[in-house]
Amino acid sequence: MGVVLNIENGKREPASIKDLIDLTAADMGRVNELILSKAGSDVEMIPEVANHLISSGGKRLRPMLTLAAAQMFGYAGEGHVKLATSVEFMHTATLLHDDVVDESGMRRGKKTARMIWGNQASVLVGDFLLGQAFRMMVDVGSLEALDILSSAASIIAEGEVMQLAAAKNLETTEDEHFAVIKAKTAALFSAAAEVGPVIAQATRNDRAALRSYGMNLGLAFQLIDDALDYGGTSKDLGKNVGDDFREGKVTLPVILAYRRGSKAERTFWKRAIEDNVTDDAGLEKAIGLMTRHGAIADTIGRARHFGEIARDALAPLEETSQKSALIDVIDFCISRVN
């Protein structure tokens, strides 16, 4: 099967989040300790299921955004660690729920929790993690931070239902798809970035800048994931390449290829997505059609556009090492496809 996207680029230093990792290393050590503590329970299955996913090698990008954004405005308390942990628990809960809804078999190169413990355990442990996240938010004592993260939790759930309602619908428009990914993915990036300046008591303009940065970074991040599903590697994705196709997900590359295709090509898409005929030969044909119609390239182009909006959101802010690191995150997310 041909690979469409060029993941490696030998002529340039690859984009990296090393500075972000270094800046947040000490705080992330405390976040990781808190994760292990708060994922614990006397109910044996809860830590087993939670730690299966928590320890599976995710970059923990979202909590690092919270920590860096709090540092950026001189926050010196303890609340950013609890909020960052809450953000990671919300993300983990979403993954547990997603894998059940999508009937996914692999996550970050390992069997999903649902494949080992079943759907019921995955959903209920996800609920437990959400409960723990909200308890930590309350501990911080910031009603505004609680409002931002609880609103994000509601929006994420709405996004899940929106995606379920639009499942296998090839008439989904770009605007409808953007509404889904804005809710499902970008809302948590936005909240993660905004609560940092909130607890640092930054100005409303500063908070709005980080909120916009996170929202547009999240949109770019998800669009790159959509593109990588048809030409990346399992390492880049954290799941099997082609999973979106096999699960009948109508992502932006599918929407664009379907809209631009001939009648015969649309028949192929209907058979693949609506009738679930998604073997390897079908995936190869799908990639070919996307290449022919520029669907993957245009998806990446839209991701770059949102990345630039995220960069512009930070432009008015004072130059700090944290600001530079947050800009690196944009480049890193986009550079996964180069």
Side-chain angles (χ1 to χ4, degrees):
M1 185 180 299
V3 173
V4 176
L5 305 183
N6 178 18
I7 306 302
E8 300 296 333
N9 185 341
K11 296 180 182 178
R12 287 173 45 178
E13 191 71 24
S16 165
I17 56 170
K18 181 181 182 302
D19 287 349
L20 180 69
I21 292 170
D22 290 346
L23 283 167
T24 59
D27 285 338
M28 276 305 296
R30 294 156 69 199
V31 167
N32 290 329
E33 289 175 4
L34 196 54
I35 284 172
L36 292 174
S37 168
K38 296 296 183 179
S41 169
D42 291 337
V43 181
E44 187 176 332
M45 189 182 288
I46 289 176
E48 285 181 2
V49 176
N51 289 328
H52 174 76
L53 186 52
I54 288 167
S55 64
S56 63
K59 292 184 179 66
R60 302 213 168 130
L61 181 56
R62 294 157 188 81
M64 285 194 285
L65 295 182
T66 300
L67 298 172
Q71 290 176 6
M72 193 173 178
F73 298 99
Y75 180 72
E78 300 288 324
H80 64 321
V81 171
K82 290 182 178 178
L83 291 179
T85 307
S86 297
V87 165
E88 183 63 11
F89 272 17
M90 288 173 67
H91 177 53
T92 303
T94 301
L95 297 183
L96 286 167
H97 291 165
D98 271 358
D99 288 340
V100 172
V101 172
D102 298 337
E103 299 181 349
S104 298
M106 295 287 287
R107 167 76 64 182
R108 296 172 183 163
K110 295 165 62 174
K111 283 186 177 180
T112 54
R114 64 173 287 271
M115 296 296 289
I116 301 171
W117 290 279
N119 288 338
Q120 296 94 330
S122 291
V123 170
L124 294 172
V125 172
D127 291 345
F128 171 82
L129 294 178
L130 282 175
Q132 293 291 74
F134 283 108
R135 287 177 68 182
M136 285 184 282
M137 293 175 213
V138 171
D139 286 345
V140 172
S142 167
L143 277 177
E144 194 167 3
L146 176 61
D147 180 51
I148 290 164
L149 287 170
S150 61
S151 295
S154 296
I155 291 167
I156 292 165
E158 287 177 342
E160 289 284 358
V161 177
M162 287 164 61
Q163 185 177 57
L164 194 61
K168 299 185 180 293
N169 179 12
L170 286 163
E171 302 305 322
T172 300
T173 66
E174 281 190 58
D175 285 349
E176 288 168 341
H177 180 62
F178 282 130
V180 170
I181 64 174
K182 187 175 181 180
K184 267 199 66 183
T185 302
L188 187 55
F189 272 92
S190 180
E194 186 181 3
V195 292
V198 163
I199 60 168
Q201 297 185 325
T203 68
R204 292 207 170 272
N205 286 342
D206 291 338
R207 298 176 192 184
L210 269 294
R211 179 170 64 246
S212 176
Y213 163 81
M215 180 63 70
N216 287 286
L217 174 67
L219 289 168
F221 184 92
Q222 185 58 55
L223 288 172
I224 293 297
D225 263 9
D226 288 353
L228 282 170
D229 196 73
Y230 290 94
T233 66
S234 295
K235 180 174 178 285
D236 294 300
L237 274 169
K239 60 179 183 178
N240 292 324
V241 173
D243 271 357
D244 286 353
F245 181 72
R246 282 182 281 269
E247 291 165 9
K249 285 187 179 177
V250 181
T251 58
L252 188 59
V254 174
I255 291 168
L256 296 178
Y258 177 76
R259 295 268 172 192
R260 297 168 181 176
S262 65
K263 185 176 180 180
E265 289 169 358
R266 290 188 181 190
T267 299
F268 160 77
W269 284 113
K270 286 180 178 178
R271 186 165 178 264
I273 301 298
E274 294 178 0
D275 300 337
N276 203 35
V277 182
T278 54
D279 55 16
D280 286 347
L283 177 58
E284 190 163 4
K285 181 171 181 177
I287 292 171
L289 293 177
M290 288 175 177
T291 305
R292 179 186 304 170
H293 295 295
I296 295 178
D298 285 353
T299 297
I300 295 167
R302 284 159 174 75
R304 292 187 196 281
H305 168 71
F306 287 117
E308 288 306 312
I309 297 174
R311 191 186 308 272
D312 289 345
L314 296 181
L317 303 181
E318 182 182 343
E319 297 299 325
T320 64
S321 54
Q322 287 83 9
K323 175 180 171 179
S324 177
L326 292 177
I327 290 171
D328 287 346
V329 176
I330 304 168
D331 296 331
F332 171 77
C333 287
I334 304 294
S335 74
R336 292 182 295 158
V337 295
N338 278 331

